[in-house]
Amino acid sequence: QVQLVESGGGFVQPGGSLRLSCVASGLTFSSYIMSWYRQAPGEERELVASISSPGGVSTNYGGSVKGRFTISRDNAQSTVYLQMNSLKPEDTAVYYCKALGFYSGAVYWGQGTQVTVSS
């Protein structure tokens, strides 16, 4: 059974930082392209960042987070991270972890973690 478990969300003031983690189990982590998405109330889910498999050589970021967020992965720990710096109120959303099988095309989602940026 595949599970993606996100953690690290919370409440932070504008300009602050958070680090999200997503631990995967039940899959061959290194064979999966990992991504972070977010969804704000009343909005569609949008891509925040993605990282290639297996080594994470290639990364891709949504335009609004470039230069502020950094995605990374640790295959030994089956974990993908999202370092979020210079947070803005508009970053407030539920953040989801997604795994996309490079060979299988299988897609799995985590349950999400809430990030709230407010003064």
Side-chain angles (χ1 to χ4, degrees), residues 1-21:
Q1 180 181 357
V2 175
Q3 280 192 313
L4 301 178
V5 180
E6 300 102 331
S7 62
F11 184 94
V12 64
Q13 292 186 337
S17 298
L18 284 174
R19 188 194 197 202
L20 305 183
S21 299

Side-chain angles (χ1 to χ4, degrees), residues 23-91:
V23 180
S25 59
L27 51 74
T28 304
F29 183 77
S30 60
S31 296
Y32 282 76
I33 300 166
M34 300 301 298
S35 302
W36 288 96
Y37 283 72
R38 68 185 182 187
Q39 188 167 20
E43 302 290 331
E44 294 188 355
R45 194 170 295 190
E46 65 172 354
L47 174 69
V48 176
S50 64
I51 187 165
S52 61
S53 68
V57 173
S58 176
T59 57
N60 181 49
Y61 295 92
S64 63
V65 308
K66 282 183 180 178
R68 300 189 296 123
F69 291 10
T70 303
I71 189 170
S72 61
R73 65 190 297 158
D74 182 341
N75 290 340
Q77 299 296 323
S78 297
T79 302
V80 62
Y81 302 98
L82 185 68
Q83 178 67 44
M84 306 186 294
N85 298 329
S86 303
L87 282 161
K88 305 175 181 180
E90 51 264 42
D91 294 318

